[in-house]
Amino acid sequence: NGDYPLLNDYFTRCFYEDERGRIWFGSQSNGLSIYNPDNYVLTNFRHEPGNSKSIPGNIVGSILKDSDGNLWIGSSGGISLFNEKEKSFKTISVENLPKLFPLVNNFVNKLKQTYNGDILAATSLGIITIRKDKSGNYQGAYFKNKGHLNSQTTDIEVMPDKMLYATLRTLGLYQFEQIGGEYKYVKAFLQDFDLLSVRKDEILPGILWIGSSKGLIRFNTITHAYRLWDEKNGLPNNHIYGTLEDTDGNIWLSSNKGLSFFNRDDNKFENYSFQDGLQSNEFNSQA
């Protein structure tokens, strides 16, 4: 693998850039890696059987730094707090997990922090909440709620009005309301779509940008109206994995045919492929 034989796996699932400019990334089979562009050093953490302080799983789907400065790693073995000084991982226990699904199969697709400090995990089994108990220890709980059907949850977004929106793969966009320490199911939308990601608009309040297998969706959480852009509108491919909003408010999209730039002023796309320098035309969810 070129200059970095430690990698062993170029299938990247998530990225995080820290305050020092280092790039953290999770892979499909080779754990968590940290790359320092100042000295070109790559540090890799993989699961070690029998070592409870190692990362619990080698499929790393999400990295989150919370408001207290804690680093959370979501992997195929669970959700862990990472202590970089000690190079150790503390995996959080989760109550009420479905017995039919062992935790080892619980891939973590996204970690998100709510306005009250809870950590939410979108996983292959649904949503998991993590919060501190009275002793200051973190405890996880499986999200049991009407309408939440133990399904593959690909992404979560938290809105300023304390509403929570989750994309449940083939079930739609699920809305929950945060009331005290609980999350109450409100309604499901876009149930005819296979949804892969969700992101709130940084300029327009109440607008969500959603990646789906049918194209890019702009969803209005106030009116519940939506607009879909697909190949007929200039996208090179309908399978939209993820979105990213730049400093001008325009949207970048990843798909199975490269990267696209969406100009929100004229609703037009500029498309880029491996011929323009991309590593590949095929991207992956969350990356």
Side-chain angles (χ1 to χ4, degrees):
N1 283 345
D3 295 331
Y4 297 100
L6 265 177
L7 280 175
N8 295 325
D9 180 9
Y10 286 146
F11 196 132
T12 305
R13 291 180 61 93
C14 60
F15 291 98
Y16 166 70
E17 182 178 4
D18 67 22
E19 63 279 357
R20 293 165 53 186
R22 298 179 304 170
I23 305 300
W24 300 51
F25 57 97
S27 72
Q28 177 67 12
S29 65
N30 201 50
L32 173 71
S33 296
I34 306 173
Y35 175 69
N36 190 332
D38 293 334
N39 56 17
Y40 309 110
V41 171
L42 179 78
T43 307
N44 177 252
F45 299 92
R46 277 173 282 186
H47 176 62
E48 301 170 16
N51 181 1
S52 62
K53 293 186 177 180
S54 71
I55 191 168
N58 285 326
I59 305 175
V60 177
S62 189
I63 304 164
L64 172 71
K65 188 171 187 177
D66 69 19
S67 57
D68 294 325
N70 298 313
L71 277 160
W72 296 87
I73 310 297
S75 73
S76 50
I79 303 154
S80 304
L81 273 171
F82 178 51
N83 186 319
E84 188 178 1
K85 288 183 180 180
E86 298 180 3
K87 297 182 178 180
S88 66
F89 296 80
K90 182 180 180 181
T91 302
I92 307 302
S93 62
V94 180
E95 298 176 345
N96 303 322
L97 272 177
K99 293 180 180 179
L100 293 175
F101 303 101
L103 189 60
V104 71
N105 290 330
N106 186 21
F107 303 147
V108 179
N109 294 312
K110 177 62 74 69
L111 293 169
K112 203 85 177 182
Q113 185 171 29
T114 67
Y115 288 92
N116 71 346
D118 289 351
I119 303 297
L120 301 179
T123 80
S124 59
L125 304 181
I127 301 172
I128 289 171
T129 63
I130 296 174
R131 61 169 58 118
K132 278 184 181 180
D133 60 22
K134 294 179 180 179
S135 303
N137 299 313
Y138 287 100
Q139 179 64 50
Y142 183 64
F143 198 93
K144 286 188 174 181
N145 213 304
K146 178 185 177 183
H148 179 240
L149 305 175
N150 306 350
S151 294
Q152 169 82 287
T153 305
T154 51
D155 207 350
I156 297 178
E157 186 58 282
V158 181
M159 305 297 277
D161 61 2
K162 296 187 178 181
M163 288 294 180
L164 170 72
Y165 290 89
T167 46
L168 275 64
R169 191 70 200 256
T170 57
L171 295 177
L173 178 71
Y174 275 52
Q175 180 186 21
F176 300 91
E177 183 178 6
Q178 184 178 326
I179 302 175
E182 301 300 322
Y183 298 88
K184 181 182 178 183
Y185 169 76
V186 179
K187 197 172 181 180
F189 307 94
L190 304 175
Q191 293 179 287
D192 295 329
F193 292 90
D194 177 16
L195 304 180
L196 303 171
S197 63
V198 57
R199 177 182 299 277
K200 65 185 175 189
D201 192 288
E202 299 295 336
I203 296 175
L204 298 174
I207 298 297
L208 295 174
W209 294 96
I210 300 170
S212 81
S213 61
K214 294 183 179 180
L216 173 67
I217 300 169
R218 184 177 66 193
F219 180 76
N220 188 317
T221 62
I222 308 301
T223 65
H224 305 152
Y226 72 91
R227 179 173 178 182
L228 174 70
W229 288 268
D230 56 19
E231 293 176 17
K232 297 175 183 177
N233 306 114
L235 276 173
N237 179 253
N238 285 341
H239 204 96
I240 305 302
Y241 285 113
T243 62
L244 190 64
E245 190 168 342
D246 65 21
T247 53
D248 295 322
N250 296 309
I251 309 295
W252 291 80
L253 317 132
S254 56
S255 73
N256 274 335
K257 285 191 176 180
L259 198 63
S260 297
F261 171 80
F262 179 65
N263 188 321
R264 65 190 302 158
D265 290 332
D266 58 16
N267 291 338
K268 290 185 178 179
F269 295 95
E270 295 175 20
N271 302 315
Y272 302 91
S273 72
F274 74 96
Q275 294 174 315
D276 299 296
L278 290 179
Q279 85 289 348
S280 168
N281 276 352
E282 184 176 349
F283 281 73
N284 190 48
S285 298
Q286 311 304 339

